[in-house]
Amino acid sequence: MPPVSSPDHPERQARRALIHGVYAITADEGDTTRLLADVEAALSGGIRILQYRNKHADMALKRQQLEALKTVCERHQALLIVNDDWRLAAELGIDAVHLGEDDGDIEEARQALGPGSLIGVSCYASVERARALAPVADYLAFGALFASGTKPLARPAPLLVFREVQALSLGRPLVGIGGIDADNIGSVLDAGADAAAVIGSLFRQADVRAAAQRLVAAAARS
C-alpha cells in the first residue's frame, strides 16, 4: 500500500530549500571532544548541513553527542539531521531525520517530530522507491555513486538516476552519496543532484576546515 500524502506544511517547504550544496555526515567517532572539534572546523569552513551518524555508539553516547552537536549547529545556524533514530531525535527536540529502508515508518516519525519536520529517505538506486516515498518525504538520497570507503558494500547507483527522477517532477531535493570528494562533487551536482553528501573526504582529513572549504568551493563552481 503506498504511503498517504500528508498536508505540505509551509515550514517543510522552506526547509527543503536548505538541502543544497555540501551535505556533511559525521564519521563514526567515539571521542566526543574530537567529534565536536571536527564539526566546529567543518562548520567554520562553510558547511551548513550536518547529519549525525554513529553506527557504533550506544544510546548514552549518541544522546551525549547529539545534545552537544545541537548547540554547535545552532551557533553556526546549520541544519542538524539525525540518522536512523527518529525517536531519539524527538526526545532531544531535533526535528530533522534521515531514514533508510529499515528505520521505521515515515508517517509515524512525522507524527512524533511534528508537521514541520524534515524527513529525508534513502532511495539507493531505485526510481520507483523515490516515486513511492516522495509524497511523504522531504528529500530523496541516492548512492553509492562512487566507490565508498565508509560503505564498501553499498549498492551502486549511476549518476543517470538523477535525470530519471527529475523527469518525474516529484518536487523534492535530490541528494547524492558515496565516494564523493572535491574532485567529483561537481559531476554529482551537474548530473542533477541538489546536494552531495560527504564523510571521508571531510571528517577523515588532517585539516577538516580546509577540506570543508575545498568542498564548498568545488560545489559552488557547479
Side-chain angles (χ1 to χ4, degrees), residues 75-98:
R75 187 168 68 250
H76 285 273
Q77 297 183 311
L79 173 64
L80 176 60
I81 299 171
V82 178
N83 178 263
D84 295 352
D85 196 339
W86 59 262
R87 291 178 177 84
L88 178 58
E91 175 190 326
L92 298 178
I94 301 169
D95 62 354
V97 296
H98 182 89

Side-chain angles (χ1 to χ4, degrees), residues 60-145:
L61 181 58
K62 286 183 180 180
R63 186 176 288 109
Q64 176 198 63
Q65 292 185 337
L66 266 174
E67 286 176 336
L69 287 174
K70 185 178 177 183
T71 299
V72 174
C73 288
E74 286 173 352
R75 187 168 68 250
H76 285 273
Q77 297 183 311
L79 173 64
L80 176 60
I81 299 171
V82 178
N83 178 263
D84 295 352
D85 196 339
W86 59 262
R87 291 178 177 84
L88 178 58
E91 175 190 326
L92 298 178
I94 301 169
D95 62 354
V97 296
H98 182 89
L99 304 179
E101 59 189 348
D102 300 318
D103 296 330
D105 182 75
I106 296 174
E107 292 174 10
E108 186 180 2
R110 179 87 64 199
Q111 288 226 333
L113 297 171
S117 56
L118 183 81
I119 299 179
V121 297
S122 294
C123 296
Y124 311 100
S126 175
V127 175
E128 286 309 309
R129 179 172 167 82
R131 190 203 307 266
L133 294 182
V136 291
D138 294 299
Y139 69 82
L140 310 168
F142 299 86
L145 300 176

Side-chain angles (χ1 to χ4, degrees), residues 134-197:
V136 291
D138 294 299
Y139 69 82
L140 310 168
F142 299 86
L145 300 176
F146 308 102
S148 169
T150 302
K151 286 189 172 183
L153 301 179
R155 285 166 276 183
L159 288 175
L160 181 63
V161 72
F162 297 111
R163 297 301 181 205
E164 293 176 352
V165 176
Q166 283 181 328
L168 300 177
S169 300
L170 299 177
R172 296 292 184 266
L174 308 180
V175 178
I177 188 170
I180 298 171
D181 57 26
D183 292 329
N184 61 27
I185 191 171
S187 66
V188 175
L189 300 176
D190 290 344
D194 298 282

